[in-house]
Amino acid sequence: MFSLRQSSQAPRGPVAAAPLEEAKSLISHAEVALKPLVESPASTVSDVAEVAEELELADAAAASEPPDAASAKLEARLTHAKTVEGSARSVDGATSPWLLLPAERNYRLYVPPHVSQKNGGDTLPLVVMIHGCRETAEEFERGTRMNAIADREGFAVLYPDQATFANIRRCWNWFEPNTAAGNGECAIILEMIRAASKHTKLDGTRVCVAGMSSGGAIAGLLAYHHPATFAAVAVHSGLPPMMPPSAAAAISAMKKGVRVNGDLLADGYWNTHDMLPPPLIVFHGDKDETVTEKNATSMVKLWEKLYESAPQAGQLVRVATEIASDENTRAYSQIEQQREGKTVVSGLRIHGLAHQWSGGDSALPFNDAKGPDASELIWKFFERQQRVG
């Protein structure tokens, strides 16, 4: 169940652009739409050829004034960027001890400008971005600047918004038993994804989830409990699943680290699921005094255990890299774990970073202006992933 409020925004540029500039703008947006078609293994030759034909028409329009029928035709096919604000609830969304409170949360959905195909077959990947404590969905949207990447690369972005009635600090309740079991707030976010699919056509094989701090912990729970939904997961300054979950244990885990029983969690996973977990990328600063980086290490080790305990699985291949700093980027260490030549677990330890989103907008709290740019690296990791089966 969901409700919505919708606002639309035209593509960037003057409201009353000259015909030549208008045609050039249409070409730019069409190129964004064409990129995922060319790169997607599911795309057909006719898919690419159809949009390419529109590019040729727009190009011809840009070469002469006025662009007349060519740009008008592409304009009719261009879906402008829009932001949808709504709410979603789940019958499995109750959280203790607030069982009588609404199992409902708000969300923001950003859909970039894209070209619609005549056959109605156009779909967008979806990136779910879950904020941390003392943040709102809108602040996380602005701080991470993920929408700018969505405009360039052509994917939709869903921002769940925690309610103060559920947590006064707006933290996601990753430590609450129902949520830790994959229901509770996890179930509500799954409903948001279903609601998003009613507002724009989504590629169900390319839904990915990322989060910061408590939002990172929720992202990990979603991937662990619902691997059939997600193609990949990113955890920034977050925590791994905790057994048994409790608020008191969560406070200790933030400072001292979650004690992860990898064998127990791996057994639980493989007794429930018959597919590999979504590939994981983890970011954590070594100066984080809010959530110890021990949690990043535990998250990576858990995912390694899940992959290596899979039926007929072999040991992952480890590749370590050291990236030097420059005036705009912090030094960081990266360890990738590969399976059959593909990176399935990646961990970045960022030197000097506190409890902040790396490469974010420092005008907002919990964002560090210096790179590496987590949003860019997350999309680079996500764009290679596609859920199979």
Side-chain angles (χ1 to χ4, degrees):
M1 300 174 62
F2 59 91
S3 60
L4 67 92
R5 300 178 300 280
Q6 178 174 310
S7 61
S8 297
Q9 61 188 70
R12 296 172 183 169
V15 174
L20 178 60
E21 293 305 314
E22 180 178 322
K24 288 179 178 177
S25 176
L26 294 173
I27 292 171
S28 174
H29 291 306
E31 286 172 339
V32 169
L34 180 58
K35 182 177 185 292
L37 284 175
V38 174
E39 296 178 349
S40 172
S43 297
T44 65
V45 173
S46 60
D47 290 333
V48 177
E50 184 180 329
V51 180
E53 178 185 356
E54 297 300 336
L55 281 173
E56 291 175 4
L57 288 171
D59 198 22
S64 63
E65 287 198 57
D68 52 55
S71 63
K73 182 177 180 181
L74 188 56
E75 172 69 29
R77 299 274 301 284
L78 180 65
T79 300
H80 291 176
K82 65 180 179 181
T83 295
V84 176
E85 295 181 336
S87 63
R89 67 168 61 219
S90 170
V91 295
D92 298 316
T95 54
S96 60
W98 310 283
L99 296 175
L100 298 181
L101 293 177
E104 182 175 11
R105 304 289 187 274
N106 294 333
Y107 64 83
R108 291 172 61 85
L109 172 67
Y110 178 73
V111 181
H114 59 286
V115 175
S116 301
Q117 296 180 47
K118 292 177 182 176
N119 62 10
D122 54 312
T123 59
L124 297 175
L126 177 68
V127 174
V128 183
M129 294 282 289
I130 310 175
H131 68 78
C133 298
R134 293 184 288 170
E135 281 187 306
T136 66
E138 187 173 5
E139 288 169 344
F140 195 50
E141 178 180 350
R142 290 162 49 206
T144 62
R145 297 187 280 235
M146 189 62 84
N147 289 1
I149 303 173
D151 283 342
R152 186 187 74 216
E153 301 292 338
F155 59 90
V157 194
L158 175 66
Y159 298 92
D161 198 20
Q162 179 61 299
T164 53
F165 68 71
N167 189 298
I168 192 63
R169 293 178 176 269
R170 303 185 74 95
C171 302
W172 295 92
N173 297 299
W174 60 277
F175 48 82
E176 185 274 326
N178 289 341
T179 299
N183 296 312
E185 290 177 345
C186 288
I188 296 172
I189 292 173
L190 292 175
E191 285 298 325
M192 292 180 185
I193 295 171
R194 296 185 185 100
S197 69
K198 298 180 184 298
H199 305 312
T200 190
K201 295 177 182 177
L202 299 175
D203 183 346
T205 69
R206 300 186 67 196
V207 177
C208 302
V209 59
M212 168 73 184
S213 191
S214 66
I218 288 283
L221 289 171
L222 283 165
Y224 176 83
H225 289 291
H226 305 280
T229 299
F230 299 100
V233 55
V235 176
H236 196 313
S237 309
L239 304 97
M242 181 172 57
M243 301 293 288
S246 71
I251 295 172
S252 174
M254 290 171 63
K255 297 297 184 183
K256 298 179 181 179
V258 174
R259 291 188 176 182
V260 174
N261 187 328
D263 291 332
L264 181 63
L265 287 170
D267 287 345
Y269 181 90
W270 289 113
N271 287 333
T272 307
H273 307 294
D274 59 359
M275 63 179 61
L276 290 167
L280 165 75
I281 186 168
V282 172
F283 301 80
H284 216 107
D286 63 7
K287 297 300 181 184
D288 191 331
E289 297 182 354
T290 302
V291 176
T292 175
E293 64 174 318
K294 292 179 181 178
N295 288 303
T297 301
S298 296
M299 188 73 187
V300 167
K301 287 184 176 179
L302 170 60
W303 238 248
E304 291 173 5
K305 183 69 176 180
L306 295 180
Y307 272 94
E308 292 183 343
S309 61
Q312 300 178 333
Q315 189 172 3
L316 299 177
V317 177
R318 176 188 173 104
V319 179
T321 308
E322 293 291 334
I323 307 298
S325 64
D326 60 34
E327 60 179 341
N328 298 315
T329 305
R330 297 182 185 278
Y332 63 94
S333 306
Q334 182 170 12
I335 297 176
E336 296 178 295
Q337 302 283 353
Q338 298 180 347
R339 180 179 185 271
E340 298 177 353
K342 176 185 176 183
T343 299
V344 293
V345 184
S346 180
L348 281 76
R349 182 174 186 250
I350 304 171
H351 305 303
L353 179 68
H355 193 65
Q356 298 166 303
W357 186 269
S358 184
D361 183 350
S362 60
L364 294 162
F366 310 111
N367 287 276
D368 183 73
K370 282 194 171 184
D373 189 324
S375 296
E376 289 282 2
L377 291 175
I378 285 171
W379 174 246
K380 184 177 180 181
F381 186 76
F382 283 176
E383 70 174 338
R384 302 193 300 264
Q385 316 297 340
Q386 186 166 23
R387 183 173 54 78
V388 178

